Amino acid sequence: MDLLRSQTSQKILIFGLFSGAFILFTGAVGMIAAFHEREVVDRFISLGQLLLLMAPFVTAYYVSRQLSDFDEGKAPLLISGVIIGLMTALPSIILLLFNADEYRFLLDICLRVIPFVAASLVAWRMHRAGAETQTALGIWLMIAFLVGIVTFSFALIFEIKGDLRTVLVNIDRDWVEVVTFDNRNDLMRGIGTLGLVSMAAGLAGSLLYLMPAVPRRALVYGLSVTVLVGAFGETVRLVLQENLDRDTLREIFRRDTLRQNAALALFVISTAAGFLWAMYGSQARARFGDMKTSQRRTVNIIGLVLFVIFMLMLPWLIGRTLSDVAVTIGIFVLMGLGLNIAIGLAGLLDLGYLTNYAVGAYILAVLTSIGPLGLFKGTFTFWMVIPLALLAAMFAGFIFAVPVLRMRGDYLAIATLGFGEIIGKLAISDWLKPLIGGAQGVQAIPKPIFLGAELKNPEQLYYIVLVASLVTLFVSIRLNNSRTGRQWMAIREDEDVATAMGIDTARAKLLAFTLSAATGGVAGAIFAAKVGTVFPNSFTVFISINVLSLIIVGGIASNPGIVVGAIVLIGMPELLREFSDFRFLMYGALLILMMIKRPQGLIPSKIVTHEIRTGVKPALAAAE
Amino acid sequence: MALLEVNDIHTYYGNIHALKGVSFEVDTGEIIALIGSNGAGKTTTLRTISGLMEPREGAVYYEDEDISNTRADLLVSKGISMVPEGRGVFAKLTVEENLDMGAYIRRDSGIKDDLAGAFELFPRLEERKKQVAGTLSGGEQQMLAIARALMSKPRLLLLDEPSMGLAPVLVDGVFDTIQRIANEGVTILLVEQNAHMALQIADRGYVLQSGEVAISDTAANLQQNETVQKTYLGID
């Protein structure tokens, strides 16, 4: 067993340290303590503790997968899992020691010793380097300098304040309580527990990798379902509330937390389901693949009908709060599908999409409001104004497209960004105040009335969004397969060559901008009707950025991808509300991770997949 | 009657006077070579003819119609097709889709037949018709670019540096193909740095130097011309 072979051991150490740094960082920003408040399973494990376990677990699994290339048998993999667990816990353990009054002298010693260690390290390197290049020496000097500076500043702060806690404010009692697994009063026991639990999690990660595929998949499925339901207990409870009576609900939840029995039952059921799917799923897919085209179509139609029924029943299933989230998601789906015409189909990076949204919202507000700013005081209804909002947004899209027709790529993006800003400033300006109310906005926008009934709840507004999205979806699929779609495709690939093919690029781009703007106007109008008031604060550049991100995360030019992207990027932050500001941290981390691990998006379109790994296979042809 | 007549055109990049009065003619059925060194104005001439740039003075006549200010995309339906420099295939589309795109302006029913014709001319492309164009070799991409330009059924084909970036073996194949296209009645205006190959298949040639036509003669005479030999053919 030569686990110490440099490449393997390096990998284990690096990933272990990485996972340790992750835990330290999340602790230092206060995430662990905040997550501890949310219990995943009642009186068993909190989300904060789960985070402590997940880091070594996932890292060990990932490293085992990488190490299995070296083919050294099972024992080294298990040992690597344990080492990773230890490495994960190590930084937190050190910090725990530094933090405790009786061991503070350790920190004192460290702060005085580290500069010497760094200096000797450099001396040793210089001695060894000898013939090595000067650059290498320079880098080492730099590292030594940085280490020296950092330790020196810590030492200084320590001398002055006498306490690290004033520097790392989140390394507080709560944090200590979580990482020691409630052994705050007996530090050694706490450190031991942390180390052991972390190592066990690492070991479990490696073990999971060594399992046969079917039970592994079943287990992963069961675990993730249980954890997700537990973590989103509040939301799940809201959904179940609609469909279960109080007593049953009380059996499952204690307030918002999953009870232990319920969690166990959920885990068993979902693991069993995962097991069945892992065993027979591929068979089912194979059988579907063997079917005749007509049969396959029948299955597809049945699936589609079930899906439509599900979509129609959704508000009834999920209740008011989540319906509200669903409407917001739907508004962004609408905008995503619209912007996708410009970005995904025609390749025009438009960062001013907010313009269309604002135009739609203000048109509806001004025309239908029964407040002082309403122009017609109720003469116009929601249904009459929707087409007007659509036309107005298209007109705005057209007007803004004309000056930027000759721009490409980055320059186009910056110009459109400027237009978005102009709209934002206009909305808040004194100049337009008599018309659209400046910072006060337009109020008293009536809800839509359908067949005499006022659609005032999110459950009812949901249907408007649903119908609008379906229409847009249909139009954009048809467009993509049309002659116009081909024009855009050619422009996206190469504008000059498109011209050489006889395509009028100016016209095609104008059309793309104009059509893309249309749904933005509708989305804005629905938003205005939903909220009942329109404020300029609602129209910031973040709307444009959000719509762009959901397209990229879901998958450029992929319609199902956009829906999923909207659910993830718009829905998730709504559901994560209880984690307050950390949700933006997670949002950012998710975006970065996505771009590294899955740049083609969650549900990529075929062409984009191909673009990202060029030269693999004839993607388009094979898929038809 | 000349199919294409370029009459004393002056084209500018901002303040840079790139073409200083270039004139030449292309007759129906001819292969004409525009040769010259880097920066002589070959590509600018082609871009001016194809409508991607506008001449500040002078005019371009195609079938006696002034096309100097006609947009590039409209020229395609008039029968002028261009193969841009650096091939410019749609890298993410398949070979077949690229060819379909070439027939974009057409609405007649003969596209299928012409597709078959293109595959006859380039059997290599038929083998790879479901393959994504970006994965083709340089020579195959050049063939695809030419085949795609032919899909619009041009009477005048403008070729910008078809030999650029190709291995010498492939260059022969490309020029061979150009010759065959010309035999089928397509008039060809060829811009080339590889003067040696260009003059071998061309009927007549023009030598561009600093934005002006320095020499014009038949290809055979140009090959014998002392200046041309020294400067462009590398013969002492």
Side-chain angles (χ1 to χ4, degrees):
Chain A
M1 184 190 86
D2 58 346
L3 189 69
L4 280 175
R5 207 166 69 184
S6 68
Q7 220 181 345
T8 24
S9 56
Q10 255 178 27
K11 210 160 237 170
I12 297 170
L13 289 181
I14 286 174
F15 277 98
L17 269 180
F18 185 76
S19 145
F22 172 75
I23 289 301
L24 197 63
F25 173 74
T26 46
V29 297
M31 217 162 134
I32 288 185
F35 279 21
H36 188 53
E37 319 233 310
R38 170 88 231 162
E39 274 190 291
V40 177
V41 178
D42 185 36
R43 297 196 192 96
F44 179 64
I45 192 166
S46 78
L47 199 56
Q49 288 164 338
L50 199 67
L51 200 66
L52 287 177
L53 295 183
M54 285 307 277
F57 183 76
V58 172
T59 316
Y61 178 82
Y62 183 72
V63 170
S64 301
R65 205 172 68 181
Q66 299 230 318
L67 290 190
S68 63
D69 294 345
F70 294 104
D71 198 26
E72 295 184 50
K74 292 181 181 173
L77 288 191
L78 297 180
I79 294 175
S80 77
V82 175
I83 294 177
I84 282 171
L86 192 63
M87 300 279 296
T88 309
L90 207 57
S92 305
I93 290 179
I94 294 175
L95 205 58
L96 272 174
L97 284 175
F98 287 170
N99 195 49
D101 290 321
E102 57 268 46
Y103 299 104
R104 186 94 53 72
F105 68 91
L106 284 173
L107 174 64
D108 220 20
I109 295 172
C110 280
L111 287 178
R112 277 158 183 78
V113 167
I114 285 175
F116 289 103
V117 175
S120 3
L121 197 69
V122 172
W124 176 65
R125 280 300 303 189
M126 284 169 105
H127 169 69
R128 253 194 40 175
E132 268 182 48
T133 57
Q134 287 196 328
T135 3
L137 286 179
I139 292 172
W140 276 100
L141 278 174
M142 191 86 90
I143 293 174
F145 183 69
L146 284 176
V147 171
I149 287 280
V150 170
T151 33
F152 180 73
S153 24
F154 264 108
L156 205 62
I157 294 165
F158 190 63
E159 291 299 336
I160 297 167
K161 307 252 185 180
D163 194 347
L164 256 192
R165 272 170 286 198
T166 47
V167 186
L168 299 168
V169 285
N170 278 309
I171 303 301
D172 54 6
R173 283 162 150 265
D174 291 341
W175 177 79
V176 175
E177 193 167 313
V178 191
V179 293
T180 55
F181 291 83
D182 301 329
N183 286 311
R184 203 179 61 211
N185 299 323
D186 186 350
L187 191 66
M188 276 308 141
R189 203 174 141 191
I191 287 175
T193 319
L194 172 63
L196 283 178
V197 166
S198 184
M199 284 192 281
L203 186 66
S206 293
L207 270 174
L208 182 74
Y209 178 74
L210 289 171
M211 275 176 132
V214 172
R216 181 176 67 206
R217 240 181 283 166
L219 207 57
V220 168
Y221 184 73
L223 273 177
S224 18
V225 167
T226 316
V227 166
L228 279 178
V229 169
F232 290 109
E234 195 183 359
T235 316
V236 176
R237 190 173 183 276
L238 273 174
V239 173
L240 291 179
Q241 215 168 14
E242 297 294 310
N243 310 294
L244 289 178
D245 62 272
R246 287 183 114 204
D247 289 335
T248 330
L249 206 59
R250 205 168 292 155
E251 293 282 309
I252 302 174
F253 287 101
R254 195 176 68 90
R255 265 183 263 133
D256 287 337
T257 324
L258 208 54
R259 284 183 191 275
Q260 289 186 6
N261 291 342
L264 192 65
L266 181 66
F267 175 68
V268 170
I269 292 170
S270 53
T271 309
F275 186 75
L276 288 178
W277 177 246
M279 286 288 277
Y280 303 110
S282 56
Q283 280 181 29
R285 255 171 297 170
R287 199 184 301 168
F288 179 71
D290 289 341
M291 275 185 209
K292 286 195 221 97
T293 322
S294 59
Q295 281 176 317
R296 213 184 298 182
R297 184 175 294 164
T298 324
V299 174
N300 277 338
I301 288 175
I302 292 174
L304 194 68
V305 168
L306 286 179
F307 178 72
V308 168
I309 292 176
F310 172 73
M311 288 308 278
L312 286 176
M313 285 172 56
L314 195 63
W316 184 70
L317 287 172
I318 60 177
R320 176 154 307 170
T321 323
L322 285 184
S323 294
D324 193 60
V325 176
V327 173
T328 310
I329 292 176
I331 287 175
F332 275 88
V333 167
L334 261 180
M335 289 201 277
L337 289 171
L339 184 58
N340 185 51
I341 293 177
I343 290 183
L345 303 189
L348 305 164
L349 189 48
D350 179 359
L351 292 183
Y353 200 69
L354 140 83
T355 311
N356 314 314
Y357 186 59
V359 166
Y362 273 108
I363 288 279
L364 184 100
V366 169
L367 292 185
T368 65
S369 169
I370 46 173
L373 284 168
L375 289 181
F376 301 98
K377 311 251 188 263
T379 327
F380 277 102
T381 66
F382 176 80
W383 307 106
M384 291 152 85
V385 178
I386 281 284
L388 290 178
L390 185 135
L391 287 177
M394 283 173 84
F395 182 68
F398 179 82
I399 291 294
F400 278 139
V402 172
V404 297
L405 271 186
R406 295 168 64 89
M407 295 184 179
R408 292 180 188 183
D410 311 349
Y411 309 103
L412 176 72
I414 299 299
T416 50
L417 191 66
F419 285 142
E421 281 300 290
I422 291 173
I423 289 293
K425 290 282 173 283
L426 276 182
I428 207 164
S429 68
D430 281 342
W431 180 53
L432 287 177
K433 199 170 178 182
L435 193 60
I436 60 173
Q440 277 88 50
V442 186
Q443 278 137 22
I445 301 165
K447 301 283 178 207
I449 293 172
F450 185 66
L451 299 178
E454 195 182 26
L455 306 180
K456 56 176 186 287
N457 299 327
E459 293 99 307
Q460 296 149 346
L461 287 169
Y462 167 85
Y463 291 102
I464 299 179
V465 180
L466 182 67
V467 170
S469 301
L470 288 179
V471 171
T472 315
L473 198 61
F474 177 74
V475 171
S476 94
I477 290 172
R478 295 297 301 160
L479 269 175
N480 199 11
N481 295 331
S482 71
R483 209 175 143 77
T484 316
R486 294 233 130 180
Q487 271 187 359
W488 289 336
M489 185 156 67
I491 290 175
R492 187 182 64 205
E493 304 291 307
D494 191 324
E495 224 178 300
D496 284 333
V497 184
T499 313
M501 299 297 97
I503 292 166
D504 183 348
T505 51
R507 222 185 112 242
K509 281 166 141 187
L510 271 181
L511 192 67
F513 272 119
T514 312
L515 285 179
S516 140
T519 64
V522 177
I526 296 176
F527 168 77
K530 169 181 177 262
V531 181
T533 45
V534 171
F535 292 118
N537 297 8
S538 313
F539 307 102
T540 61
V541 70
F542 293 107
I543 300 275
S544 308
I545 304 283
N546 258 334
V547 179
L548 180 67
S549 330
L550 76 87
I551 291 181
I552 291 171
V553 166
I556 286 183
S558 147
N559 291 323
I562 287 162
V563 177
V564 173
I567 293 173
V568 171
L569 286 194
I570 307 301
M572 282 294 183
E574 296 288 329
L575 297 183
L576 291 172
R577 240 171 226 291
E578 57 181 308
F579 304 130
S580 66
D581 284 347
F582 295 116
R583 66 199 168 116
F584 295 112
L585 186 68
M586 296 196 275
Y587 184 95
L590 174 76
L591 279 185
I592 295 173
L593 207 69
M594 276 286 304
M595 288 303 99
I596 294 172
K597 282 286 166 198
R598 214 178 155 79
Q600 69 272 42
L602 291 170
I603 305 182
S605 79
K606 289 155 211 153
I607 290 189
V608 174
T609 318
H610 187 75
E611 179 189 342
I612 285 180
R613 12 185 155 111
T614 9
V616 185
K617 278 230 148 182
L620 275 178
E624 292 321 337
Chain B
M1 174 196 101
L3 181 67
L4 181 80
E5 188 191 337
V6 175
N7 192 356
D8 193 31
I9 52 171
H10 292 255
T11 306
Y12 292 74
Y13 287 102
N15 287 327
I16 300 165
H17 199 168
L19 297 186
K20 301 161 185 160
V22 171
S23 307
F24 62 89
E25 288 181 0
V26 181
D27 286 329
T28 309
E30 276 188 318
I31 301 184
I32 298 298
L34 281 186
I35 56 178
S37 53
N38 258 347
K42 305 184 302 283
T43 297
T44 312
T45 310
L46 216 54
R47 285 175 70 89
T48 311
I49 296 171
S50 63
L52 291 172
M53 299 181 72
E54 278 180 25
R56 220 175 268 183
E57 284 169 53
V60 180
Y61 297 97
Y62 173 73
E63 294 180 320
D64 291 332
E65 182 192 349
D66 187 351
I67 58 161
S68 321
N69 301 317
T70 310
R71 286 199 326 256
D73 51 286
L74 295 178
L75 289 181
V76 182
S77 44
K78 289 184 189 293
I80 301 181
S81 195
M82 167 148 150
V83 179
E85 188 178 338
R87 304 187 269 278
V89 295
F90 295 115
K92 288 164 234 158
L93 306 189
T94 64
V95 168
E96 213 170 12
E97 286 168 325
N98 260 281
L99 293 174
D100 269 345
M101 205 63 101
Y104 175 77
I105 50 144
R106 290 172 55 188
R107 289 169 182 278
D108 56 298
S109 54
I111 296 176
K112 275 235 164 76
D113 294 337
D114 287 341
L115 199 62
F119 286 144
E120 209 172 291
L121 195 61
F122 301 101
R124 198 52 186 268
L125 293 181
E126 181 157 32
E127 288 167 30
R128 323 219 141 179
K129 66 180 175 188
K130 298 277 182 203
Q131 193 169 326
V132 179
T135 63
L136 298 178
S137 75
E140 289 162 346
Q141 287 190 15
Q142 184 64 60
M143 288 176 187
L144 177 58
I146 295 174
R148 191 185 53 193
L150 290 176
M151 287 301 289
S152 66
K153 286 205 154 182
R155 267 170 300 153
L156 176 62
L157 184 63
L158 310 177
L159 293 168
D160 197 356
E161 303 267 8
S163 76
M164 193 168 81
L166 295 186
V169 192
L170 295 173
V171 173
D172 284 347
V174 166
F175 278 98
D176 196 44
T177 315
I178 295 172
Q179 181 81 65
R180 276 193 289 156
I181 294 168
N183 292 344
E184 283 177 20
V186 180
T187 311
I188 289 172
L189 176 60
L190 174 68
V191 158
E192 241 327 327
Q193 273 200 46
N194 188 341
H196 180 68
M197 289 303 296
L199 291 179
Q200 269 182 15
I201 60 164
D203 298 305
R204 291 187 297 117
Y206 294 86
V207 179
L208 284 184
Q209 222 166 37
S210 327
E212 283 168 297
V213 176
I215 315 167
S216 70
D217 212 331
T218 62
N221 286 347
L222 281 178
Q223 278 176 310
Q224 302 306 320
N225 184 307
E226 214 168 279
T227 332
V228 174
Q229 280 190 348
K230 260 193 189 159
T231 330
Y232 304 107
L233 299 178
I235 303 170
D236 279 320

